[in-house]
Amino acid sequence: MSSAAEQRIVQDGPGPPSPGACPPGPGRGPSAPGPPVWPGAPHPLGARPRTGPGGVTGTNFALWAGGAEAVEVCLFDEDGTETRRPLPEFTHGIWHGFLPEVGAGQRYGYRVHGPWDPWTGARFNPAKLLLDPYARAVDAPRGADYRRLPPEVYGHVRDWPQQEYADTVRDDRDSAPYVPKGVVVRDDGPDEWRDDVRPKTPWADTVIYELHVRGFTMRHPDIPEKLRGTYAGLAHPAAVAHLVELGVTAVELLPVHQFAHEDHLLRRGLGNYWGYNSLGWFAPHAAYAAGGTTGQQVGEFRAMVRALHAAGIEVILDVVYNHTAEAGELGPTLSLKGIDNAGYYRLQQDARRYADYTGCGNTPHVVQPHVLRLITDSLRYWVTEMGVDGFRFDLAAALARSFHDVDMLSPFLAVIAQDPVLRRVKLIAEPWDVGTGGYQVGAFPPLWAEWNDRYRDAVRDFWRGALPDVRDLGYRLSGSSDLYAWGGRRPHASVNFVTAHDGFTLRDLVSYERKHNEANGEDNRDGTDDNRSWNCGAEGESDDAAVTALRHRQLRNLLTTLLLSTGVPMLTAGDEMGRTQGGNNNAYCQDDATSWVDWSLREEPAWADLLALTRRLIALRRAHPVLRSRSFFAGRAQAEDGLRDLAWFTARGGEMTERDWYAPTGTLALYLSGRDIPGRDERGTPVTDDGFHIVLHAGHAPVEVTLPGAPWAEAYEVAVDTAAEQQTAEPGTVHPGGARITVPGRSVLVLRVRE
């Protein structure tokens, strides 16, 4: 530490402004002398209440800022009065100190001193109050209250006339009144989780339901208004009851880490609704807390997890470690950028610029040990102290990059593979990023499941009549062995989905061929044009009875295909009852009825029938292990009679030949033998089940199908017929083996084998 810097931070009063010093604002500057700062310890990182020397209680503050010259911890009273105290010790890049009598509920931030030299990546600016990356809770002003972000939150002069040089001109105005503050949170007590029992649902039995904490609860009539949009709302019995009755085993929550709104959205009167703009990787997003934002959100989140666990439902978090809310060189200075920009972010050879593999302006430098530690500490915290059961990693390929290329032996993947906590939870990769070589579907190592967009595309294309043949569809329906049958991976490595938060809802998928994103304020330029959708003859909502009937049948076809495919199915909240976004396929900034689940749909007969069918399909999947195989099918005869565990048939009733796989067709039938299920139960006993014959017919005209006779089946009973307007759980028509039946156009027929 230089002597000048040392003199600057040990003064008790505000002193005269100087380069690198923060000029005090009225009523908000540093206070009179505060309590002494003891050396403390460099571990654990963050602000952790503990008992210090002599039994004195207080809080230990520790921050990695390897390139800094000095660090001040700044304490804030309720009226905004700020007290700055220097962290006196520097150990292996970590600044630390113990402040007696500082306890839970204290709001705080950091000011970090060092050189301002953007050309070498140094962007230290003590005028900017910085959020502790290890903050367990965040007390945040509502960003949407501003027309745009205040200029004070930028480390550079945002409105400098020559914008190409703006990021090089330091802004010395105080940001403290405008930025979030960390909150000291006590450690979890030993009895906090005594009554919690994790469901520990096996991967093969998992059905995922992707939902948004706010959007799922905002319009639910049985949730008290004060709890809507919150963790407490999701824990409410009315919300939990829907999940239990539906039969899903896990919720995948869109980002709940503390996030920030982008300036370009605020200027349009919008905000980041989805939350893929993380700021604090340890803190539950404060705006989703009903009980308060000075630490109460932590307990509320934990109570939500316990309520879901009690109902047998696991909690998976969609996490964003591939970029932060600080964006590129023209973005705000909120945390890591001011703590040690070059130490936390990947920079280009021109160190003013950021390596951007995400399209969001920056990428954390995961190869750096302290950055890797920050991410893995965060993950372990959410498992051990917040109770979650797994993670879905947004743009996971960006985390798997070593110095440039995606590397499946990268430090991040290696650390996860050996971590005794993380290797035991559910790990799901979004297996791509926007950089060169970023598309990595099928490439992640064992332990990992992946969002399988090839499943999504094949199923969408089949039902809109756009597949040239059925080769790809066959792989997708049976677990995608071409992608995942290596290194000991199982069918559950494939997370199958037809829709997700990003893109059309299921109802919109059969109602729109073009995106309608005008409300986003980007002249409909945002969002993908590759929707692989079909509007069934009319764009948007239609009063035509024939169009409406076809759309409902297509919805039944898509849901049946998804929920009876081998792999792990993922539903998007509201798809089970016809939620629509009006054709908006990129509703990331629509925090309104566009994105919220409309619970009134349950009262409309057509959508109530769709909901009932979804429940039936999930129950059918749960009841029959042949529909959720733990191993890939062999496709070979297992007995002298020639019966195979998986066989494929043409409409003519014969097994498919190589030529059939390459021939254009809109019909595919698969036979699943319940007698020859690969794998065994927990005691090593072979698993047996009913067999199923499933006919998928995407052609518009009816087709005559011959059902396989002996040895496949003596008879078949209809379990699901998507051509029927009214779906029923009663036993269906029985057809003898070898019978020729007519399958209506655009329908799925699920037949249970009867001996």
Side-chain angles (χ1 to χ4, degrees):
M1 182 192 308
S2 69
S3 59
E6 185 173 7
Q7 292 171 5
R8 191 160 58 241
I9 67 171
V10 299
Q11 62 186 357
D12 294 321
S18 61
C22 174
R28 294 184 180 273
S31 70
V37 183
W38 298 350
H43 305 294
L45 291 166
R48 305 293 289 275
R50 68 178 180 87
T51 301
V56 175
T57 59
T59 296
N60 191 81
F61 293 88
L63 176 74
W64 190 95
E69 295 175 352
V71 173
E72 296 170 295
V73 61
C74 306
L75 309 179
F76 290 85
D77 295 340
E78 290 186 7
D79 64 359
T81 300
E82 176 184 355
T83 300
R84 303 179 195 165
R85 308 301 298 155
L87 293 183
E89 299 296 321
F90 182 69
T91 306
H92 304 310
I94 298 170
W95 295 86
H96 54 94
F98 179 84
L99 272 67
E101 301 180 5
V102 171
Q106 174 66 58
R107 298 189 305 148
Y108 73 101
Y110 291 111
R111 297 186 187 274
V112 180
H113 298 254
W116 175 266
D117 187 12
W119 293 268
T120 62
R123 295 182 178 272
F124 297 99
N125 185 345
K128 308 306 167 183
L129 186 77
L130 306 173
L131 182 68
D132 181 1
Y134 277 79
R136 303 294 181 87
V138 175
D139 187 31
R142 296 183 62 84
D145 291 343
Y146 303 116
R147 291 185 180 178
R148 64 180 303 186
L149 290 178
E152 288 87 351
V153 306
Y154 292 79
H156 63 280
V157 179
R158 183 189 66 187
D159 302 317
W160 191 256
Q162 295 175 289
Q163 277 293 292
E164 64 270 29
Y165 301 113
D167 70 291
T168 69
V169 183
R170 193 178 70 178
D171 187 310
D172 287 332
R173 289 172 290 184
D174 184 14
S175 70
Y178 311 102
V179 296
K181 279 79 174 176
V183 180
V184 177
V185 176
R186 69 173 180 84
D187 288 338
D188 191 10
D191 297 330
E192 190 81 17
W193 292 99
R194 184 172 54 185
D195 60 342
D196 182 67
V197 179
R198 294 178 184 264
K200 296 183 180 179
T201 307
W203 259 120
D205 300 338
T206 297
V207 178
I208 298 173
Y209 189 77
E210 186 196 39
L211 67 82
H212 189 288
V213 168
R214 179 170 168 83
F216 185 71
T217 58
M218 278 299 292
R219 301 178 71 181
H220 200 300
D222 299 326
I223 296 176
E225 189 171 352
K226 64 180 180 180
L227 300 184
R228 294 176 189 173
T230 69
Y231 306 118
L234 183 54
H236 190 273
V240 176
H242 179 78
L243 301 170
V244 172
E245 292 166 5
L246 193 58
V248 298
T249 69
V251 291
E252 182 174 302
L253 306 182
L254 266 69
V256 295
H257 288 167
Q258 184 67 40
F259 62 85
H261 301 284
E262 296 93 325
D263 188 46
H264 70 90
L265 291 175
L266 296 174
R267 284 185 278 121
R268 298 202 298 270
L270 301 170
N272 190 317
Y273 168 70
W274 285 350
Y276 291 90
N277 203 42
S278 296
L279 181 59
W281 288 331
F282 286 77
H285 189 58
Y288 298 161
T293 62
T294 55
Q296 299 91 338
Q297 61 264 55
V298 177
E300 187 175 326
F301 185 94
R302 289 169 174 163
M304 176 199 72
V305 172
R306 285 196 296 271
L308 290 166
H309 282 178
I313 297 170
E314 294 184 305
V315 178
I316 298 171
L317 301 188
D318 193 336
V319 290
V320 187
Y321 296 109
N322 60 75
H323 74 279
T324 76
E326 294 184 300
E329 60 271 13
L330 296 178
T333 297
L334 303 170
S335 184
L336 304 181
K337 184 180 289 186
I339 294 171
D340 193 329
N341 185 59
Y344 282 102
Y345 289 116
R346 291 179 181 265
L347 303 180
Q348 298 183 23
Q349 187 172 359
D350 173 5
R352 274 181 62 194
R353 316 297 182 191
Y354 293 77
D356 181 11
Y357 296 110
T358 66
C360 298
N362 64 53
T363 308
H365 203 342
V366 181
V367 174
Q368 295 283 7
H370 52 275
V371 180
L372 184 59
R373 177 184 176 186
L374 171 62
I375 293 173
T376 53
D377 282 353
S378 166
L379 292 168
R380 280 188 294 269
Y381 170 74
W382 286 96
V383 174
T384 60
E385 297 193 41
M386 301 296 270
V388 306
D389 306 286
F391 306 93
R392 178 265 187 188
F393 292 81
D394 182 64
L395 299 183
L399 299 172
R401 291 182 181 271
S402 290
F403 283 95
H404 298 289
D405 298 331
V406 178
D407 179 4
M408 292 305 157
L409 297 176
S410 67
F412 173 75
L413 294 178
V415 166
I416 295 289
Q418 60 77 45
D419 189 283
V421 172
L422 301 180
R423 68 188 313 275
R424 288 177 169 82
V425 301
K426 288 182 166 68
L427 302 170
I428 305 170
E430 183 182 36
W432 51 78
D433 64 21
V434 302
T436 302
Y439 187 77
Q440 295 289 325
V441 173
F444 274 71
L447 295 183
W448 287 81
E450 299 175 12
W451 268 26
N452 188 350
D453 68 328
R454 289 186 58 179
Y455 178 94
R456 176 199 64 196
D457 293 349
V459 170
R460 287 187 180 191
D461 283 348
F462 177 74
W463 286 112
R464 71 187 180 106
L467 275 185
D469 54 55
V470 291
R471 286 176 295 160
D472 200 39
L473 182 66
Y475 276 119
R476 306 308 143 228
L477 297 176
S478 58
S480 295
S481 59
D482 60 327
L483 299 176
Y484 303 114
W486 64 272
R489 301 183 86 183
R490 301 292 183 90
H492 65 246
S494 179
V495 175
N496 300 331
F497 66 105
V498 177
T499 61
H501 66 275
D502 187 1
F504 281 150
T505 67
L506 198 66
R507 177 174 169 181
D508 289 354
L509 191 68
V510 300
S511 304
Y512 296 90
E513 291 190 5
R514 303 183 304 278
K515 65 188 181 185
H516 296 267
N517 299 354
E518 290 80 7
N520 296 353
E522 299 179 40
D523 297 324
N524 208 35
R525 295 189 304 270
D526 62 303
T528 183
D529 293 312
D530 183 21
N531 295 297
R532 300 173 187 252
S533 59
W534 178 46
N535 63 17
C536 298
E539 185 71 2
E541 296 300 309
S542 174
D543 295 328
D544 187 309
V547 169
T548 300
L550 178 55
R551 287 176 176 175
H552 281 275
R553 183 180 295 190
Q554 287 287 79
L555 290 173
R556 294 192 292 269
N557 292 336
L558 290 162
L559 282 170
T560 302
T561 304
L562 172 65
L563 291 170
L564 300 187
S565 294
T566 303
V568 176
M570 184 185 78
L571 284 168
T572 303
D575 276 353
E576 72 276 17
M577 50 189 171
R579 186 177 75 87
T580 177
Q581 294 179 169
N584 192 324
N585 74 351
N586 190 36
Y588 77 106
C589 56
Q590 298 298 322
D591 186 6
D592 55 25
T594 303
S595 298
W596 302 340
V597 173
D598 181 1
W599 294 93
S600 69
L601 293 169
R602 296 180 300 174
E603 310 306 320
E604 299 180 22
W607 303 120
D609 285 346
L610 188 69
L611 175 58
L613 174 63
T614 307
R615 290 170 175 166
R616 280 188 57 218
L617 290 167
I618 294 176
L620 186 68
R621 181 185 184 90
R622 182 172 60 246
H624 293 282
V626 73
L627 299 175
R628 44 187 172 82
S629 178
R630 285 164 163 75
S631 302
F632 289 109
F633 299 100
R636 296 187 297 272
Q638 304 293 321
E640 292 183 1
D641 61 9
L643 192 69
R644 282 189 279 281
D645 58 357
L646 170 66
W648 304 91
F649 290 87
T650 67
R652 299 182 301 276
E655 290 190 65
M656 291 185 68
T657 65
E658 186 75 8
R659 176 179 294 182
D660 292 325
W661 285 108
Y662 285 84
T665 181
T667 308
L668 181 65
L670 65 154
Y671 180 98
L672 301 172
S673 170
R675 190 183 71 183
D676 300 304
I677 300 174
R680 299 174 180 270
D681 66 14
E682 293 177 351
R683 298 187 177 185
T685 305
V687 178
T688 59
D689 190 15
D690 296 331
F692 284 86
H693 189 66
I694 303 174
V695 181
L696 301 94
H697 175 49
H700 72 279
V703 63
E704 191 173 74
V705 171
T706 300
L707 301 178
W712 307 100
E714 295 295 328
Y716 301 88
E717 177 185 279
V718 175
V720 178
D721 181 1
T722 65
E725 293 293 335
Q726 299 292 326
Q727 296 293 308
T728 176
E730 299 299 321
T733 304
V734 176
H735 300 286
R740 300 175 71 178
I741 63 173
T742 299
V743 176
R746 298 192 176 97
S747 65
V748 180
L749 188 63
V750 181
L751 302 158
R752 183 185 292 111
V753 172
R754 293 184 58 170
E755 299 297 339

